[in-house]
Amino acid sequence: MAAASTPKISWEQISPAPVVLVFGKESFLADRAIQRLRGLLLLEDPELEVNDLDAGQYSDGALELLASPSLFDEPRLIRVSNGVKATDAFIEDALRYIAAPVDGTTLVIRHDGSTVRGKKLLDAVRRTPGALEVVCQPLGRGDMIPFARNELRLLERDATPGAIAALVDAFASDIAELASAIRQVALDTEGQITEQTVRTYYAGRVETTAFAVVDAVIAGDVARALVTLRQAVATGADPVPMVAAFAMRFRQLAKVSGAQGGDGQAARSLGMQEWQLRNARRDLRGYTDASLCDAIEAIAVADAAVKGAERSAGHAVERLVRQLAARTAA
């Protein structure tokens, strides 16, 4: 009869267990999970003893020494980092330990999954009765909205759907930044958080403003593009990353323009998410191959201009916006 597999849970579902595997490449969620576990154990017993081990620097016997019951029998939390570089000594000691965990001790092992180092140990943990596996993989864009909503709920703040979408649009490239931005706006404002609250509060964020300008340009909305651009300039946005945002988006359009096959197949071949590819294909409807080449050439000229080829970087960006938005609208 096959052994039951260890339950796989998300970071916010973590709970005390004799052995916990925190697995995946999203270090922010992994840190959150381990912090939450420590907090739950402290609630059970404030005398919790916490010890840290680096699996990549491990020497024989250290795990057994830390897990051994003390004179006063305090509960213990042993946090093991760097499981992806675990020494042979750690793997062997951990295999022996999980076969007979010590009562009152919680062993949490962090492994990012970037290599198969320690696979024998991972497989053993996943077969251990009573163990838990916390999955901490990078969130897709579709997961960011629920994440942001949950962050606001934890902070006991109410936000409109537009505000949540604006936060995700601004900080979706980095979940740690997204969480920090949510916390900051929640602490520094009162009342319901609206889209305008977010737009006003983070108006100086270059990446957000830049991509808002790019979106307006691709939509052919010259007026909105220019208004957004001037707001960005007024709040101190740097022209160089503004042009870089155009370059990044139009390079993506160029890649997608030659992609064959359905959305899923094409996205995999280009290393993109399906939603990114679908959006790019939608945006390409306003371009021919010739107009896309012209746009890329205009961006190259603007890039040189904002890096010193022309006296006024701000004028160069505005000229680019007018050129691209007018071409799209035509």
Side-chain angles (χ1 to χ4, degrees), residues 23-218:
F23 185 83
K25 294 182 179 180
E26 184 48 75
S27 58
F28 174 80
L29 295 181
D31 291 344
R32 275 281 188 91
I34 295 169
Q35 290 169 6
R36 179 174 172 80
L37 179 60
R38 179 178 180 273
L40 292 171
L41 290 170
L42 281 169
L43 284 175
E44 290 183 357
D45 193 329
E47 299 301 316
L48 177 73
E49 182 179 315
V50 181
N51 290 286
D52 293 300
L53 288 174
D54 183 333
Q57 304 290 328
Y58 183 85
S59 57
D60 292 352
L63 178 58
E64 182 181 2
L65 181 64
L66 291 177
S68 298
S70 67
L71 179 63
F72 299 104
D73 204 28
E74 300 98 338
R76 297 177 177 218
L77 170 62
I78 302 174
R79 301 180 295 198
V80 180
S81 62
N82 211 16
V84 74
K85 294 183 179 180
T87 63
D88 290 339
F90 175 76
I91 293 170
E92 292 306 314
D93 281 4
L95 284 168
R96 281 194 298 272
Y97 178 83
I98 66 174
V102 175
D103 288 343
T105 294
T106 297
L107 174 66
V108 55
I109 301 172
R110 171 75 178 113
H111 194 297
D112 68 16
S114 58
T115 75
V116 295
R117 178 65 182 165
K119 184 177 184 301
K120 183 178 179 181
L121 174 59
L122 298 179
D123 290 344
V125 171
R126 288 167 175 153
R127 294 192 301 268
T128 299
L132 291 175
E133 179 176 355
V134 183
V135 179
C136 297
Q137 298 294 5
L139 299 183
R141 189 176 179 85
D143 300 315
M144 289 289 193
I145 294 289
F147 173 81
R149 191 181 295 121
N150 187 58
E151 290 291 290
L152 287 159
R153 181 184 60 79
L154 293 174
L155 293 166
E156 299 183 341
R157 291 302 306 273
D158 180 42
T160 65
I164 294 172
L167 284 162
V168 170
D169 285 344
F171 298 96
S173 62
D174 189 321
I175 191 172
E177 284 194 5
L178 175 59
S180 177
I182 290 169
R183 181 172 182 80
Q184 198 67 51
V185 75
L187 292 176
D188 289 358
T189 62
E190 296 181 353
Q192 186 182 51
I193 299 170
T194 66
E195 182 176 358
Q196 187 56 48
T197 308
V198 176
R199 298 281 182 206
T200 300
Y201 198 80
Y202 290 112
R205 179 174 168 83
V206 173
E207 297 89 339
T208 305
T209 308
F211 286 114
V213 176
V214 176
D215 287 342
V217 163
I218 289 176

